[in-house]
Amino acid sequence: SLYCSTTPIRNIINSGSNKDADLDGMDITLPEDRIKYLESHTQALELQLVYRTEQTSNAVAECDALREKLTEATQKCEDEKKLSMEVMRAMTRQYKGMQEDLLNKINERERVIQTLRDTLETQRISHIEHIAAKDEIIERKNAAAAKMRDEEEAMCQQFVKMIVDARIKLCNQTKMGDTFTLLTGDD
């Protein structure tokens, strides 16, 4: 790297009037030496200017490249945001659709359950009424059977009484006939 004196150039030019003046601490008295020194100093400054111009150019190029990368990254970020928003909207729509479908299924199941409960209650009431009707029929049949048993018993009692009465009559008639035979002497 080429570095030259940092003494401002106007100080060097202004010092041209004073031939014995210091040029960067050097005593240059001859004009040819002074010209050579100034030429070499000018070349050094030109080289430094070229070097700095090149650095500036590189820095500007790097800045432009970074700016382009930033623009690309920003665009990519925006694209990713849009994509994620689209995905989120799609997932939200899908979720809402699934939620609505699930709610419809739940409501349908609740209707089925309520229908089954109503049917069960109706059948339970019908069963209770059926059992009550059957119990009533059984009670009537039991009552009718008891009445028939009572009637049979009464009929049996009457029949027994009739037989007993008939036997007594027969016995009485037989005794009377024996007495009559005895009285009449017929055999």
Side-chain angles (χ1 to χ4, degrees), residues 5 15 26 29 33 81 125 143 151 168:
S5 168
S15 66
M26 297 178 7
T29 54
D33 290 339
K81 279 183 184 178
I125 291 170
E151 287 174 358
I168 291 175

Side-chain angles (χ1 to χ4, degrees), residues 109-124:
R109 297 300 191 281
E110 286 177 353
R111 281 193 292 275
V112 168
I113 289 170
Q114 189 59 45
T115 302
L116 290 173
R117 282 183 179 158
D118 294 345
T119 303
L120 179 65
E121 184 63 22
T122 302
Q123 287 179 351
R124 188 183 68 78

Side-chain angles (χ1 to χ4, degrees), residues 160-177:
V160 167
K161 187 177 177 199
M162 280 175 41
I163 291 178
V164 168
D165 287 347
R167 188 170 170 222
I168 291 175
K169 254 186 181 180
L170 265 173
C171 284
N172 283 341
Q173 283 181 353
T174 309
K175 280 185 188 176
M176 277 198 199

Side-chain angles (χ1 to χ4, degrees), residues 127-140:
H127 181 69
I128 290 171
E129 290 172 353
H130 183 72
I131 288 175
K134 292 294 182 183
D135 286 346
E136 187 178 326
I137 290 171
I138 290 171
E139 284 180 30
R140 278 187 290 184

Side-chain angles (χ1 to χ4, degrees), residues 71-146:
T71 303
E72 288 175 8
T74 303
Q75 184 62 41
K76 190 174 182 179
C77 182
E78 290 298 320
D79 292 344
E80 289 296 323
K81 279 183 184 178
K82 286 179 185 176
L83 180 64
S84 67
M85 288 299 288
E86 289 173 11
V87 168
M88 188 174 69
R89 285 185 190 121
M91 289 178 72
T92 301
R93 277 193 304 274
Q94 184 180 10
Y95 172 76
K96 285 182 179 179
M98 288 170 52
Q99 184 180 26
E100 187 175 319
D101 186 47
L102 183 61
L103 286 174
N104 288 339
K105 285 180 180 179
I106 289 170
N107 290 336
E108 179 61 29
R109 297 300 191 281
E110 286 177 353
R111 281 193 292 275
V112 168
I113 289 170
Q114 189 59 45
T115 302
L116 290 173
R117 282 183 179 158
D118 294 345
T119 303
L120 179 65
E121 184 63 22
T122 302
Q123 287 179 351
R124 188 183 68 78
I125 291 170
S126 175
H127 181 69
I128 290 171
E129 290 172 353
H130 183 72
I131 288 175
K134 292 294 182 183
D135 286 346
E136 187 178 326
I137 290 171
I138 290 171
E139 284 180 30
R140 278 187 290 184
K141 286 188 177 185
N142 284 341

Side-chain angles (χ1 to χ4, degrees), residues 21-77:
D22 259 350
L23 294 177
D24 282 342
M26 297 178 7
D27 265 341
I28 300 177
T29 54
L30 295 173
E32 296 97 26
D33 290 339
R34 187 181 280 268
I35 290 171
K36 283 182 187 178
Y37 174 77
L38 289 175
E39 283 176 354
S40 71
H41 190 67
T42 304
Q43 284 179 349
L45 287 173
E46 285 173 354
L47 285 173
Q48 190 176 26
L49 179 64
V50 167
Y51 175 73
R52 289 198 177 162
T53 303
E54 192 177 300
Q55 279 185 330
T56 304
S57 175
N58 288 341
V60 167
E62 190 175 327
C63 183
D64 288 344
L66 287 174
R67 192 173 290 131
E68 188 176 319
K69 282 183 181 179
L70 178 65
T71 303
E72 288 175 8
T74 303
Q75 184 62 41
K76 190 174 182 179
C77 182

